[in-house]
Amino acid sequence: MTRTGLALALAGGGTGGHLVPGLHLLRALRSPPAGRAPAPLASVLWFVVGRPVEERVLRGVEEILGRVRFERVVLDLEPPQGGAPSRARLLRRFLPATLSAARALRRARSDVLLGLGGHTSGPPVLAARLLGIPVVLLEINAARGRATRWLAPLAARVCHAWPATVPPGGSARHVHLGPPLAPELSGPPTDEAAGARARAALGFAAAQPLLLVLGGSQGARPLNRFCAEVAPILVGGGVQVLHQVGPGRAAEAAAPLPGYRALEYVDDMPAALSAATAVLCRGGASTLAEVAVRGRPAVVVPYPHHADRHQERNARSLGAGAIVVGEERLDAALAAELVLLCGEAGAERRAAMARALAGAVPRDAAERLGDELLRAAARRPLGEMRESS
């Protein structure tokens, strides 16, 4: 039998950072850029942990996949009240979750598994190896996470979003691809005229600058508090604000003001980035990759409590295209700097930052990741790819 359809499994959940790259991969496989044929997909199996953010981020996956069979499997790893599991709970739940993952992989007759990072990846990766299913890992951050460090020996290929995490001296199993991007972001950066049209399409004044504030898929209380306090300074300085506060965080938005809009979640990120003059954000890898390919100057406030400070490392990877500030800088003085950056006085600085962002991340990482998965599946010694839909 010839291989005509890929039965793909993905493992990653809990945060947008572990979900969005997989979603971009699926979109690239189904709707690739001009000149590439859609990849043959028979089915998609996705392991998650049951957090509400997963429902939000993945709610459009069936539309992306069309007739391709899709199944989401929730692994019982996290405590009933939510949040990351303790090490003791993770160890206690690891074996049952591995057995559950093995049953799902066998039922789906999966050809290859992509681990997207985080504790969600562990049990499915081990299950896949026990079943002889090839494993590909994606390290999305500029600092290698615990999952990548522990699971890399089980992987046929480890794909890196940033050069900093590729082992020194290189390795045949490690490859730098870049962060997977939505197909809509694969084109050139939006110019000023297109940015004005995008602002008008979103209901903002086309001629006024727009600051896009992103706290990640779950929102960021420090950024929300900052916006609530300084929105009058920003709007008073002629800067419009589109503020993503995070699901369930509408109460953390600023009081209503002309030119200020708060959303729990920005569904059309390419449109929002096209409309933005500058971005204030956390340092999630996918967010920064999208900011970079759109050439949008970024003021990045990394989450400070990760042991490896990977959000700061992500931001530093953008060089002069990003201004990195600590949470202690979230004050009126920073608001005044943002007004200057977004206004006419900041045009030269914005242009210099945009030049620094040009080429900061590859634009074809999602397509290349798809190729890696197809190659890994083709090398599987047993089984055949399924008939595609």
Side-chain angles (χ1 to χ4, degrees), residues 10 14 16 29 45 47 57 82 134 138 159 181 186 195 202 215 235 260 267 293 300 313 343 359 366 371 379 388:
L10 303 98
L29 290 174
L45 173 70
F47 294 101
V57 175
L138 173 65
C159 301
L181 296 165
S186 61
L202 291 176
V235 173
Y260 170 89
D267 289 305
V293 297
V300 185
R313 296 188 186 190
D371 292 341
R379 290 193 294 267
S388 60

Side-chain angles (χ1 to χ4, degrees), residues 223-235:
L223 291 188
N224 291 349
R225 186 183 303 119
F226 170 70
C227 281
E229 292 172 353
V230 306
I233 297 175
L234 297 170
V235 173

Side-chain angles (χ1 to χ4, degrees), residues 330-387:
L330 293 172
D331 54 20
L334 179 61
E337 290 182 35
L338 289 168
V339 170
L340 286 174
L341 178 64
C342 292
E344 290 186 13
E348 187 173 331
R349 186 178 192 185
R350 292 198 307 273
M353 294 177 73
R355 288 193 295 272
L357 293 172
V361 297
R363 296 174 180 272
D364 61 349
E367 292 79 25
R368 293 176 63 198
L369 178 58
D371 292 341
E372 293 288 348
L373 292 166
L374 289 166
R375 279 194 288 268
R379 290 193 294 267
R380 185 181 181 187
L382 297 174
E384 297 290 341
M385 291 169 67
R386 317 304 163 212
E387 290 297 326

Side-chain angles (χ1 to χ4, degrees), residues 9-13 45-48 75 77 94-95 97-105 110-139 146-158 173 373:
L10 303 98
L45 173 70
W46 199 317
F47 294 101
V48 294
L75 298 177
L77 290 170
F94 198 92
L95 179 56
T98 300
L99 294 175
S100 176
R103 287 192 294 270
L105 289 165
S110 298
D111 292 303
V112 63
L113 172 79
L114 173 64
L116 295 165
H119 56 265
T120 316
S121 293
V125 166
L126 179 57
R129 291 294 290 132
L130 291 173
L131 294 172
I133 298 170
V135 171
V136 175
L137 298 180
L138 173 65
E139 176 51 73
R146 186 180 293 117
T148 301
R149 295 196 302 270
W150 288 359
L151 299 175
L154 303 178
R157 196 74 152 162
V158 183
R173 289 194 306 119
L373 292 166

